[in-house]
């Protein structure tokens, strides 16, 4: 099956290999999308991790800011996936059997799943903060989703670091 796919993708591999402009453009788009999306995500994760337990209003503000920044991160992830598919298709025979490649894919999938969970948690933090502010409720309604958001921020940091490290390692294999 791998041989059939490699044969099917050979015209793309030839075009990619013969065009320095095309290959440079795709690699640059991939790296820049990781730089922009990952940079914004790491900055947002840092803000969550540095936020001291405080008022419901402060937690709501951080969660809403994080939600706004995720729009750019999601757009970057789309570009990362598209360019990553083009890069993988350029040398499928090599990437398909590379443990480093599959490690990077596993880290990236974990990063995406964590991002989806983080988006749900953001909504829970915002709702819990609104309820706390409206009804003067203090307690687990706010602390539980905030703790989950902080755990997601740590996982996000680890996921971005692993994805970038394995990507660099992949280029050196």
């Amino acid at each position: 099956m791998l041989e059939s796919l490699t044969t099917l993708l050979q015209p793309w591999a030839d075009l990619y290999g013969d065009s320095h402009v095309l290959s440079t453009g795709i690699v640059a788009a991939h790296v820049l999308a990781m730089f922009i999306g990952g940079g914004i995500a790491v900055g947002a994760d840092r803000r969550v991790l540095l936020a001291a337990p405080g008022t419901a209003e402060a937690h709501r503000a951080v969660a809403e800011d994080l939600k706004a920044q995720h729009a750019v991160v999601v757009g970057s992830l789309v570009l990362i996936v598209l360019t990553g598919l083009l890069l993988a298709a350029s040398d499928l025979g090599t990437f398909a059997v590379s443990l480093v490649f599959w490690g990077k894919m596993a880290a990236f999938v974990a990063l995406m799943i964590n991002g989806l969970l983080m988006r749900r948690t953001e909504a829970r933090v915002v709702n819990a903060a609104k309820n706390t502010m409206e009804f003067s409720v203090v307690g687990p309604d706010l602390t539980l989703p905030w703790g989950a958001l902080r755990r997601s921020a740590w996982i996000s940091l680890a996921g971005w670091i692993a994805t970038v490290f394995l990507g660099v390692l992949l280029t050196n294999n």
Side-chain angles (χ1 to χ4, degrees), residues 42-54 58-59 62 146 149-150 153-154 157:
V42 166
D45 293 338
R46 182 179 180 275
R47 181 163 181 216
V48 168
L49 294 171
L50 290 177
H59 286 173
V62 170
W146 185 254
L149 189 61
R150 289 178 57 86
W154 280 115
L157 282 173

Side-chain angles (χ1 to χ4, degrees), residues 40-115:
I40 290 172
V42 166
D45 293 338
R46 182 179 180 275
R47 181 163 181 216
V48 168
L49 294 171
L50 290 177
T55 66
E57 179 61 33
H59 286 173
R60 186 180 63 78
V62 170
E64 286 180 347
D65 186 46
L66 187 61
K67 182 180 176 182
Q69 292 175 3
H70 271 150
V72 175
V73 174
V74 169
S76 294
L77 289 172
V78 169
L79 186 57
I80 290 167
V81 169
L82 292 175
T83 56
L85 288 170
L86 292 172
L87 290 168
S90 73
D91 193 3
L92 187 62
T94 299
F95 290 122
V97 297
S98 169
L99 292 178
V100 175
F101 173 78
W102 289 111
K104 180 183 176 186
M105 293 304 99
F108 186 73
V109 167
L111 186 63
M112 301 264 294
I113 291 169
N114 182 65

Side-chain angles (χ1 to χ4, degrees), residues 1-2 7 22 74 80 84 86 106 115 120 125 134 142-143 159-160 167:
M1 183 170 161
L2 178 58
T7 301
L22 179 65
V74 169
I80 290 167
L86 292 172
R120 286 182 34 199
V125 168
E134 288 175 13
L142 184 58
T143 58
W160 281 106

Side-chain angles (χ1 to χ4, degrees), residues 7-64:
T7 301
L8 180 67
L9 295 172
Q10 192 58 49
W12 166 250
D14 292 340
L15 177 63
Y16 181 87
D18 292 341
S19 174
H20 293 293
V21 172
L22 179 65
S23 61
T24 300
I26 291 171
V27 170
H30 191 70
V31 171
L32 287 170
M34 286 181 54
F35 177 73
I36 292 168
I40 290 172
V42 166
D45 293 338
R46 182 179 180 275
R47 181 163 181 216
V48 168
L49 294 171
L50 290 177
T55 66
E57 179 61 33
H59 286 173
R60 186 180 63 78
V62 170
E64 286 180 347

Side-chain angles (χ1 to χ4, degrees), residues 107-129:
F108 186 73
V109 167
L111 186 63
M112 301 264 294
I113 291 169
N114 182 65
L116 290 172
L117 295 173
M118 196 172 200
R119 301 249 348 216
R120 286 182 34 199
T121 304
E122 291 163 9
R124 287 179 32 222
V125 168
V126 170
N127 288 336

Side-chain angles (χ1 to χ4, degrees), residues 54-56 59 125 128-129 131-133 135-147:
T55 66
H59 286 173
V125 168
N131 289 340
T132 300
M133 290 183 311
F135 303 110
S136 298
V137 176
V138 177
D141 286 343
L142 184 58
T143 58
L144 289 177
W146 185 254

